[in-house]
Amino acid sequence: MAARILCIGNRFVGEDDFGPRVYDTLAGMECPADVDIVDGGLAGLNLLRYLEDGRPVIFVDAVSGFAPVGEITVIDGDIVARQAPGKFGHEAGLPFLLHVLPAVIDNPPPRVRLIGCEGGASDDAVLDAARLSLQLALEAQ
Amino acid sequence: MSPTRKIVDIPFNRVEGDLEVRVEHDDGAITDAWSAGTLYRGFENLMIGRGALDGLVMTPRICGICSTTHLMAAARALDAIAGVTPPDNAIRLRNIALMAEHVQSDVRQSVLMFMADFANPAHQRHSLFEQAQQRYTTMGGSSFIDVIRETKKILEVVAMIGGQWPHSSYMVPGGIAFEPSQAHLLQCLQIVRSYRQWYERRILGCSIERWLAVDSRAALDVWLDENSTQRESEVGFLLRFGRELGLDAIGRGNEAFLSYGSLDLPADTDAVASTRQLVAAGVVRRTTAETFDAAKIAEDVSHAWYKKALGALHPFNGETQPYATGREGGAYSWIKAPRYDGSVVETGPLAEAVIDRRPLFLDFLAGPGASALTRQLARLTRPTTLLAAMETWLVECIATHGATIIAGDGQVPDGQGFGLTEAARGALGHWVSIENGKIARYQIITPTAWNGSPRDEGGVRGAWEEALVGTPIADPDNPVEAGYVIRSFDPCLVCAVHTVKRNH
């Protein structure tokens, strides 16, 4: 089973539009039919439905503090989960979702990786991330 | 200012990234408050020049929680411009998805955000503290986990009716874009029934009918003492611990309420309401009920970082031109100050309950007055007024499957219209002008703008600024009481930035 690519972030805020830009790029590319590509936006906890069927998940999101500015980095889901804040709020994002995941789904959690970009991404970086997400998705089969 | 008077910034950034609340306190109580939205959003300006239908795609993406509500407001504005009334099944299917969003949000906000603070170390001397920790500790509490497990399921209703999740854009001028299959509608019905059973068991500890029979404060005490199931339910615990903490005596506010009305009734339905909407529109000021008139809404920018217009403007004439300068003086928020007929009003589930004339909440107003606890009780029990109608409308959709779902030709002519609805957090409106087939003006007033507004031209505080005044503040380093007051309004200002930040 190929992975699911979940691009997340806010397309109206430059600082956070990396995931949606990668989604838009993937939408214009020829992609294998069994790779599921989702424009996850700001759905937060309501993305749980995409993490329950055992398919490996590649998240794509803007990150801060993981790599030099402009660089693309791949971060393991466990490390993302460790960044969870101590409290839940409307803004609870990916770290919270991954942290709480094992306790709130019935199946074992899927393997999760995050393709992140630090700071504003160039168009080339977005294209690279789109290709990398497909590569990781197919490798996950 | 007396020597003991101090200013404290309430650390809301741990809860709401773009909200800052500053209070002045003296002798253990808050004497003044300022609420600031710290992010310029400017959605309105993003819309200008786009196609007439673009609001249906753009605005649901401005909020990760209330996306269906923005879709509803955007669609209703276009209905108004096109002069069309959606057919019954379109009305039902629009409503059901919106209600699914509400019944999820009401429970999540109550348990994951409001009651999560019951586990705050500030309460460790209270007799129920150990139980509160066991139930509400973030990430591990039994209620915390169970609420996430169960509330995730109701979202499938939005996904099936909207055809996708997230970013459903299935509402279109005159109706909806497609009709879900019978199989999907039957699944939705099953999900709603199962959610209702869980809600009755875990949240109420009794049937919805039993809860709706609670019609006064005395009847509420009887309900609480009736059996251990009710006492131990989430509503039971909210009441018991909330009273112990004195949450029934703080956060009164100015007791002026606004509801735009929501959830139009189909022409032919078994659902019953006092008006042609399940949630009535209205205004209550100082216990006097008034008919709601959208023409009486105006936005004041005297204390917001926008170019100052000629006094307060109706949203059809509103301007959203950012203008932040150190010389401006007095401005402290990116949120404008909406006012109704010049008055500060609060909006949300308590406002809906008061305007719907629900006896329990009228009795609170007639007695001790509004409070953080009353506001939260109204929110946690609002699904009791929605779940039965969701079932009724699903059954009606199944029985009439194949009936028309759109009126008109889907086109939007030039013109002006507004779409009003109730979001989980209260009154939401979109005001739209279309010229030459393009959006010429788009103004959005969110519930948090009503509740969390800064002062207006007359220096009158916004709703929760006012509700904070008088709130005790035992420990300025852990001002948990102020947190309850603000959270009882369910602030939501996070249509913003969610980057994964390295913290560890």
Side-chain angles (χ1 to χ4, degrees), chain B residues 425-462:
Chain B
R425 276 146 277 282
L428 172 72
H430 289 197
W431 282 261
V432 185
S433 301
I434 307 291
E435 289 172 16
N436 303 316
K438 307 272 189 212
I439 294 169
R441 195 183 281 270
Y442 210 108
Q443 288 289 317
I444 297 174
I445 303 181
T446 62
T448 293
W450 283 108
N451 290 329
S453 82
R455 284 151 169 75
D456 57 28
E457 218 165 20
V460 180
R461 298 183 192 95

Side-chain angles (χ1 to χ4, degrees), chain B residues 193-234:
Chain B
R193 285 182 171 157
S194 150
Y195 189 85
R196 176 183 176 151
Q197 284 166 6
W198 170 78
Y199 179 85
E200 291 180 320
R201 189 176 68 246
R202 176 111 203 175
I203 306 299
L204 296 178
C206 67
S207 69
I208 284 177
E209 291 75 17
R210 172 67 191 94
W211 172 259
L212 291 175
V214 176
D215 58 1
S216 66
R217 284 176 292 140
L220 184 61
D221 289 337
V222 170
W223 178 87
L224 198 51
D225 288 335
E226 201 162 77
N227 57 52
S228 62
T229 318
Q230 285 159 205
R231 217 164 27 251
E232 294 301 326
S233 71
E234 301 304 337

